[in-house]
Amino acid sequence: MRVLAVDPGLTRCGIGVVDAVRTGRRAAMVGVGVVRTPATDPVEARLLAISEGLETWLDAHRPDVVAVERVFAQANVRSVMGTAQAAGLVLVAAARRGLPVAMHTPSEVKAAVTGDGRAEKEQVTTMVTRILGLDSPPRPADAADALALALCHLWRGGATSRLEAAAHTALVTGRRNAYAEAEAQASRSRKKLVVRSQASSADSRR
């Protein structure tokens, strides 16, 4: 599975593309970058530039799924508006291609790659570099965040998809234990992920 993940932003929109290797237990970076827009340009021109950048990435890498960070309200309303507008462009671009879209919260992403939902940005960058075997940390932080989001979906999105499929099976066939079985398997996978992330985090601090 190939995931194209977007860390939305009006000034810097981070984009990362990651492939699953060995059924999602390992991952390889395909590409990473940032779409930038000048703060002095009109909003409509900035949104157009981001839209065109997203289209270019989607056409070049042809992902199986698009992941985007879920936008939360913050004290800076103007910043949130720009982020939400950029996220909306991602949703439209994915829908235009018939691609499924997954949304993950910042704490989910941090927990997935570091084992700590309150990890600092630098710790996330360090773990992304280690997990993907990169020669140097992705810069700026928006690029690293996009890769972390892609990894989060590879490791957690698969479990969610299995649960949705199991729920459908249970509904159609009447197999009430189908969902419970899938949920138990997903729980075991999440525990293994946390253990692996914590072990990697411990190694990085040595």
Side-chain angles (χ1 to χ4, degrees):
M1 179 172 67
R2 172 167 292 183
V3 181
L4 185 148
V6 181
D7 179 38
L10 195 55
T11 301
R12 292 185 305 275
C13 193
I15 303 176
V17 184
V18 172
D19 278 351
V21 181
R22 294 182 183 178
T23 322
R25 295 186 179 182
R26 295 178 58 192
M29 186 185 78
V30 177
V32 65
V34 176
V35 177
R36 302 173 185 268
T37 66
T40 53
D41 284 0
V43 173
E44 62 272 22
R46 301 176 73 183
L47 292 174
L48 176 61
I50 292 172
S51 178
E52 291 175 343
L54 290 170
E55 297 285 350
T56 298
W57 276 81
L58 287 166
D59 289 341
H61 297 288
R62 299 185 179 278
D64 299 300
V65 61
V66 173
V68 61
E69 184 174 285
R70 189 180 296 276
V71 179
F72 280 94
Q74 301 173 355
N76 190 336
V77 176
R78 184 175 181 179
S79 176
V80 173
M81 285 295 296
T83 301
Q85 289 169 333
L89 293 175
V90 180
L91 302 182
V92 171
R96 184 177 291 121
R97 290 167 171 75
L99 294 172
V101 177
M103 303 187 78
H104 300 282
T105 66
S107 59
E108 287 173 344
V109 174
K110 292 176 181 179
V113 299
T114 71
D116 181 1
R118 295 177 294 180
E120 298 293 334
K121 278 187 173 291
E122 196 58 38
Q123 187 179 357
V124 172
T125 298
T126 298
M127 291 306 300
V128 166
T129 305
R130 176 183 290 271
I131 292 168
L132 294 175
L134 305 180
D135 294 331
S136 59
R139 300 294 181 189
D142 310 82
D145 288 346
L147 290 174
L149 179 60
L151 289 171
C152 174
H153 184 72
L154 281 181
W155 292 343
R156 295 192 169 194
T160 301
S161 298
R162 286 195 296 274
L163 288 175
E164 291 174 348
H168 178 72
T169 299
L171 178 64
V172 173
T173 67
R175 285 183 55 209
R176 296 184 177 181
N177 63 333
Y179 186 85
E181 291 171 357
E183 188 176 37
Q185 182 180 354
S187 178
R188 289 193 294 270
S189 298
R190 285 193 294 267
K191 289 179 181 178
K192 290 179 181 179
L193 171 61
V194 170
V195 170
R196 183 167 64 245
S197 298
Q198 289 174 340
S200 298
S201 181
D203 289 341
S204 67
R205 292 194 295 267
R206 291 176 182 172

